[in-house]
Amino acid sequence: QIPKAPRWDHESPWCPLEGGWGYEPTLPENDLVGYFEYVRNKGSCQDYDGQKTGGWTYSGKGCKDGACPGPDAPGYGQPARTDVEGC
């Protein structure tokens, strides 16, 4: 259970490559409980092979009391659609 949602910080921290000082291997794909613990504890640099930067944080733009909003949906340079019905 993650009581408050963190946000992904794509700018920090810098991640060492395999063999570099401070390198930690990617987390196993089949350990969802371990991954949730990693996210809950503001983990970084273990999300995917070859990761160069990024980690989970509970602070920054839009975060309040340790809970962060998700990113805005990309618009891809197109105007918002008004001809669809919402859920």
Side-chain angles (χ1 to χ4, degrees):
Q1 179 180 10
I2 299 178
K4 299 203 177 190
R7 70 176 183 82
W8 178 255
D9 186 346
H10 62 275
E11 297 178 352
S12 179
W14 170 81
C15 303
L17 297 178
E18 187 172 358
W21 182 83
Y23 171 79
E24 294 195 38
T26 303
L27 296 171
E29 290 183 19
N30 60 352
D31 184 8
L32 188 57
V33 173
Y35 186 73
F36 281 150
E37 183 177 327
Y38 163 80
V39 171
R40 188 180 315 113
N41 291 316
K42 300 186 282 185
S44 60
C45 301
Q46 292 181 276
D47 294 273
Y48 55 89
D49 290 332
Q51 185 173 345
K52 295 180 181 178
T53 188
W56 298 98
T57 183
Y58 290 93
S59 61
K61 184 179 178 181
C63 298
K64 183 177 179 182
D65 296 327
C68 302
D72 292 334
Y76 301 108
Q78 302 294 317
R81 289 185 62 179
T82 58
D83 62 336
V84 293
E85 187 176 320
C87 296

